[in-house]
Amino acid sequence: MKNLVLTIIFLSSIFPILNAQEKYITKSGEINFEASVPSFEEVKATHNSVSAIIKSNGEFASLALVKGFRFKVALMEEHFNENYAESSKYPKATFKGKVMAFDITGLTTDSKEYVLIGMVNMHGVDKKIETKALIRKVGGIIFLDTQFVLKPEDFNINIPNVVSSKIAEEIRISSSFELKGKL
Amino acid sequence: MKKQVKIVIALVFVSLGLYFAYNYMYQDHRDIKAEKAVVLIPASELISYFNENNSKKVLNKTVQVSGIITEINTKNIILDDKVQCSFDSVLKNLNLNETIIVKGRCIGFDELFEVVKMDQSSIIK
């Protein structure tokens, strides 16, 4: 009886170790978004300190501090932060989801296409997305690239009529992450 | 003669208007390197502004932090495991465990890794 109790205690103590997921992380992922309309000024921004984690079960989470998006035109950056993204009120943009049928041991140096499903949260609004992600593994680093399209209206972001002709209705987002292994 | 003067005056006003409009639309980005920091603190203390709901004091502001380099990446370093400073150019001549002072723009608190992030950083010392 005593042995059984000890065995249970022992098993439960090693269980977290057995259950530990392999984790790959980055704190300097990149997100680009573009909402340019032909023949008008380029509407484009880049962020290169985006955080992301992928676990061996395919769970993927990412966080971008909205103020970190950099535009070429300073005034555009100001308008983006103050009028549209309202980055003081909503400082974070996040994604939480899963790479479907992810098999970490099966990754090769050739990119393989996976389905990525999850929730984007921005401007305080959740929006489910489904997209494709290209994933490869080179020298212990997982490379994940994905592209998708978002609409400002889905996030309760109103573009005033005066400028709406200069900003695309669909915003193209592309991101790439180089995730390093971490225990 | 009078008509010509009027045209000249009109042209001066139009060009002035265009000049100011252009300068407004294409104003320069902030020069974080030249701005005076609103707080000068140890890197480990920057996080307290976010824990105490006091982030307004540092968010989007120029801050200066000092700490020990705990991680070095291509274009960013982490101080005291608590503050990530991103630079616009590739870093060199930095060593782990070195004490350093960095100035940059605070862009917020990253809950995923529990670090405060800064961009447009420059090394002070």
Side-chain angles (χ1 to χ4, degrees):
Chain A
M1 189 57 198
K2 205 181 166 189
N3 275 347
L4 181 71
V5 172
L6 283 175
T7 312
I8 290 169
I9 291 170
F10 174 72
L11 280 178
S12 58
S13 68
I14 62 161
F15 187 69
I17 301 167
L18 293 174
N19 199 29
Q21 295 269 358
E22 233 186 307
K23 245 196 246 171
Y24 286 76
I25 66 159
T26 181
K27 296 189 190 94
S28 44
E30 199 178 298
I31 296 181
N32 290 294
F33 79 75
E34 183 156 12
S36 304
V37 171
S39 83
F40 281 109
E41 183 108 53
E42 185 180 73
V43 183
K44 197 174 164 185
T46 303
H47 196 314
N48 42 33
S49 41
V50 180
S51 293
I53 305 179
I54 191 164
K55 291 184 187 162
S56 47
N57 63 358
E59 275 172 25
F60 179 75
S62 177
L63 184 153
L65 293 166
V66 180
K67 287 199 188 292
F69 281 103
R70 307 280 305 277
F71 291 72
K72 202 164 77 187
V73 178
L75 189 66
M76 212 184 268
E77 192 170 302
E78 193 184 311
H79 286 170
F80 167 78
N81 280 295
E82 286 174 9
N83 308 342
Y84 305 131
E86 296 181 85
S87 61
S88 295
K89 206 165 154 195
Y90 308 104
K92 288 165 285 214
T94 58
F95 174 84
K96 222 173 186 172
K98 201 163 182 178
V99 177
M100 305 313 281
F102 185 63
D103 174 17
I104 200 158
T105 54
L107 293 176
T108 65
T109 53
D110 291 320
S111 287
K112 202 180 148 194
E113 198 177 275
Y114 288 88
V115 173
L116 177 63
I117 298 176
M119 205 71 99
V120 174
N121 180 288
M122 195 183 163
H123 200 238
V125 181
D126 276 327
K127 168 85 184 161
K128 197 185 172 198
I129 62 157
E130 183 173 337
T131 182
K132 281 167 188 150
L134 286 173
I135 304 176
R136 67 198 156 97
K137 192 176 174 187
V138 184
I141 297 173
I142 294 180
F143 291 79
L144 187 149
D145 292 280
T146 183
Q147 274 146 34
F148 51 92
V149 162
L150 293 176
K151 290 180 178 166
E153 65 202 51
D154 289 337
F155 295 92
N156 286 339
I157 296 171
N158 298 314
I159 313 280
N161 282 333
V162 223
V163 289
S164 63
S165 61
K166 296 172 194 163
I167 300 173
E169 273 172 42
E170 293 195 323
I171 297 170
R172 297 180 297 281
I173 289 145
S174 66
S175 50
S176 78
F177 300 98
E178 292 180 17
L179 303 123
K180 288 176 191 143
K182 184 160 192 172
L183 282 173
Chain B
M1 188 60 197
K2 235 181 169 181
K3 201 179 165 192
Q4 274 170 334
V5 171
K6 272 184 190 163
I7 290 172
V8 169
I9 290 171
L11 274 175
V12 166
F13 274 104
V14 168
S15 43
L16 269 178
L18 284 173
Y19 174 78
F20 285 118
Y22 185 87
N23 274 350
Y24 172 70
M25 280 169 73
Y26 296 100
Q27 55 188 270
D28 287 334
H29 277 277
R30 282 169 66 183
D31 183 1
I32 303 297
K33 212 174 164 177
E35 276 183 29
K36 203 167 172 260
V38 293
V39 289
L40 295 91
I41 47 171
S44 53
E45 284 176 22
L46 190 54
I47 207 164
S48 64
Y49 285 91
F50 295 90
N51 290 338
E52 290 156 12
N53 234 339
N54 225 347
S55 61
K56 261 189 200 151
K57 282 192 179 147
V58 290
L59 201 58
N60 205 25
K61 302 266 172 30
T62 300
V63 295
Q64 187 168 310
V65 293
S66 57
I68 291 166
I69 303 177
T70 48
E71 194 181 317
I72 303 177
N73 297 303
T74 333
K75 284 169 99 176
N76 68 71
I77 52 172
I78 295 176
L79 302 183
D80 298 340
D81 288 319
K82 286 278 181 275
V83 178
Q84 176 178 349
C85 312
S86 296
F87 295 79
D88 290 335
S89 52
V90 175
L91 293 163
K92 47 194 168 198
N93 303 328
L94 289 176
N95 303 302
L96 282 176
N97 300 320
E98 202 178 335
T99 302
I100 196 171
I101 302 175
V102 178
K103 183 159 85 171
R105 178 181 66 134
C106 181
I107 59 168
F109 175 63
D110 177 340
E111 295 159 336
L112 222 46
F113 296 118
E114 304 199 316
V115 288
V116 178
K117 291 195 173 185
M118 281 161 54
D119 73 355
Q120 300 168 67
S121 304
S122 54
I123 292 166
I124 300 296
K125 212 172 125 194

